[in-house]
Amino acid sequence: MAGNVTILVIGRNGQLARELAALSWPGGVNAVFLGRHDICLANTLAARRQIAALAPSAIINTAAFSRVDAAETAIDACWELNARLPAHLAGLADSLGVPLLHVSTDYVFDGAAQEPYGESATTNPLSTYGLAKEAGDRAVLAATGRVLVVRSAWLFGWHGDNVLTRILARCHQLSGAALRMVDDQIGSPTPAAALAGLLQALAFELIGGHRSLPRLLHFAGQPRTSWHGFATAVLDTWSRAGHFAARPALAAIPSSAYPTAARRPAFSVLDCRTATALGFPPPDWRDALDRLARGWTERRAA
Ligand SMILES: NC(=O)C1=CN([C@@H]2O[C@H](COP(=O)(O)OP(=O)(O)OC[C@H]3O[C@@H](n4cnc5c(N)ncnc54)[C@H](OP(=O)(O)O)[C@@H]3O)[C@@H](O)[C@H]2O)C=CC1
Ligand SMILES: Cc1cn([C@H]2C[C@H](O)[C@@H](COP(=O)(O)OP(=O)(O)O[C@H]3O[C@@H](C)C(=O)[C@@H](O)[C@H]3O)O2)c(=O)[nH]c1=O
């Protein structure tokens, strides 16, 4: 990348923001991360001045209210972060003449489909989180500037509270009982590091402007599986890596046996053919699990 370039990432300590920070950034590229204590996004005027002063060449928005069940009661906070903030950022990026990359979710779909959801599939969220994210997507896509909404799913990795860390935490609380995981929700687990790599590559492409990109892109891991299928792979991989003295037992249960505040789609596999055609094929999440298992104890202790 020629010259000095600043890529502004909204978010600092979140799962995806930390994966973006861990990437290797080419010389001349300055990645700046602004978390909730670094910028007051609700103060639109001050936020605009602060962002303009950084003169970014692209903005990547990773900020979100991502606690799906908590969103059912924290409705205002969820809408503020997932719907109003992206709308505001899209307007701001447009006024600065820079591209905005925004991240969205498979939970914008209702799960009634039999085939993977492509970018043109109809959305119909079942939860407050999904509804607010869908509104955010629509606002960003309606903006006049250069925007790219990347929908992904079931992120996991080193950092924060994610589906992998939740499963491992549960394993330590079982005291001999089986880990119960629903097997009637099917989706696309995605290594957060792979999504971070994609966002970096897309940011460079948008800045370079050498080829036209879609405004909405699906990117998720493969193969499809259930939460129970994912947990099985986690336990297998962690056992092989020697992390368990005894492999915890695992039981498949229906969603009805695991009541949650938010409804989740029964099927939310994303069709990633557009991303593949652009040179970004879906990562195999089983390979990522292997890599994570090998370095887990050292990295999590660090
Ligand atoms: N997790 C998943 O499985 C999936 C996530 N996504 C989407 O990916 C994106 C990143 O998710 P992920 O990294 O997992 O989410 P996290 O919950 O790990 O991170 C959320 C980010 O939002 C920021 N944030 C939270 N509250 C505020 C606030 N009040 N003001 C400003 N910033 C705030 C946090 O800031 P700070 O850095 O200060 O903590 C943090 O960086 C989101 O858009 C999410 O919807 C899509 C599919 C799956
Ligand atoms: C922790 C746990 C969950 N479950 C069930 C509950 C639920 O139906 C399903 C998923 O649970 P979780 O709450 O861990 O995952 P959830 O927060 O729904 O994950 C989602 O997060 C948001 C941010 C996204 O955008 C989605 O792509 C997706 O990754 O698994 C079990 O059956 N057993 C368990 O031990």
Side-chain angles (χ1 to χ4, degrees), residues 159-177:
H159 307 294
D161 176 31
N162 61 67
V163 293
L164 169 63
T165 57
R166 254 172 253 155
I167 288 169
L168 295 173
R170 279 287 160 100
C171 289
H172 291 296
Q173 302 157 352
L174 290 173
S175 321

Side-chain angles (χ1 to χ4, degrees), residues 10-18 34-42 61-67 77 80-82 85 102-107 129 133 150-156 159-163 166 190 192 195 227:
I10 305 293
R12 177 193 283 272
N13 296 307
Q15 169 177 212
L16 186 56
R18 290 180 70 184
L34 297 181
R36 72 189 81 180
H37 303 300
D38 309 309
I39 186 166
C40 178
L41 294 160
N61 179 32
T62 69
F65 191 107
S66 65
R67 289 171 295 128
E80 180 62 32
L81 274 172
N82 292 357
L85 169 66
H102 173 67
V103 186
S104 188
T105 174
D106 55 330
Y107 280 17
Y129 167 75
K133 291 294 292 185
V150 178
R151 287 204 191 112
S152 194
W154 297 27
L155 293 184
F156 68 92
H159 307 294
D161 176 31
N162 61 67
V163 293
R166 254 172 253 155
T190 309
L195 177 60
W227 292 112

